[in-house]
Amino acid sequence: MTITKTSLAALAVAAVALTGAPLGGAQAGSELMPGISTGIPLGAPLPEGLWSITIPTYGSRDSDPRVDTSAVVPAWLIWSTPWTLGGGVIMLDAVMPYVNVDVNNGPQFSGMANGFIDMQVKWNLGNGFFGGFQSGIYLPIGSEVGNNYVSWQGVAALSYLKDGWDLSSTFIYGTGAEGSDGGPAWFNVDLTATKKFGKFEIGAVGFGSTDLSTPYVGYQKQSQFALGGLIGYDFDICNIQLKLTRDVYQENYGGYETRVWANIIVPLMAPSSAMRPAVFKY
């Protein structure tokens, strides 16, 4: 069978998990890749300064045909400002990822995905607990792997960071757009449970995602849940975490995905007392 852009959408639309790549007028679930925040305690504010988080990832879904999806967030820039709102630290961030989708014995799609700008407010709640909210928008883009419409994303995050523990939950909601070129509203949850032993970090991660709406007649809602492990090391000038995850449940994705990830956190500009990624050292 010759796999066109349209038939690929019918066979493996859910394989494109980042930014809902527009495969022949069908959008795949979450605009934010499910699981991307695992290992990162999003409930806690970063020390004042400019930070970079680079997240390369590669996954293979055992659908028929097999679909391999790779992406890189080359520099998720986060400015932890000196300002506060209601006692919470204000942070601003922006990112534009690059995505590649390769269908076995079929077509390949690649390009810049939708850029995202966001505002965060994070509070120290005491006794090792942190929490916060984020709100931002995806900007339209006319690439092979982007959506040509504006959508909104909201995040609520809670983290417990004490005695080397990172117990974090991140809840993410995103809007979609109606019509054949639109995508569903969606909901993700990312979970982290790790422990640091000196400079080493080890633990478990998990994530789930589900579509909340049907943008057009005939759209099949997708959902998934994955589990995996994390190992990390603090190199003083940066913090690196490696993750391996595997779907344990999926619906309408065409198959189960195995994915490898890295989180590379680097302070770019920060006061001398905060030049190390102290958020990972509570």
Side-chain angles (χ1 to χ4, degrees), residues 200-232:
F200 286 94
E201 180 179 13
I202 189 169
V205 295
F207 60 87
S209 67
T210 185
D211 293 347
L212 300 177
S213 67
T214 53
Y216 53 85
V217 176
Y219 180 88
Q220 293 184 314
K221 288 184 178 179
Q222 301 151 4
S223 59
Q224 66 179 132
F225 193 82
L227 294 172
L230 177 151
I231 58 172

Side-chain angles (χ1 to χ4, degrees), residues 149-205:
Y149 57 80
V150 176
S151 62
W152 175 80
Q153 176 178 290
V155 179
L158 180 66
S159 296
Y160 176 79
L161 304 171
K162 193 174 183 179
D163 299 327
W165 285 101
D166 174 8
L167 305 176
S168 294
S169 300
T170 304
F171 306 94
I172 311 163
Y173 169 80
T175 62
E178 297 296 320
S180 60
D181 292 327
W186 51 272
F187 177 79
N188 292 358
V189 58
D190 291 352
L191 305 171
T192 299
T194 65
K195 180 74 166 68
K196 279 215 163 187
F197 300 91
K199 292 180 178 289
F200 286 94
E201 180 179 13
I202 189 169
V205 295

Side-chain angles (χ1 to χ4, degrees), residues 238-277:
C238 68
N239 188 293
I240 297 179
Q241 300 168 322
L242 301 176
K243 302 176 289 182
L244 175 65
T245 60
R246 170 72 175 175
D247 286 352
V248 296
Y249 162 81
Q250 66 84 24
E251 184 175 2
N252 292 327
Y253 274 82
Y256 292 83
E257 183 184 65
T258 301
R259 179 165 292 277
V260 293
W261 320 65
N263 297 334
I264 305 169
I265 303 99
V266 181
L268 299 179
M269 296 173 56
S272 58
S273 62
M275 279 306 293
R276 298 173 69 197

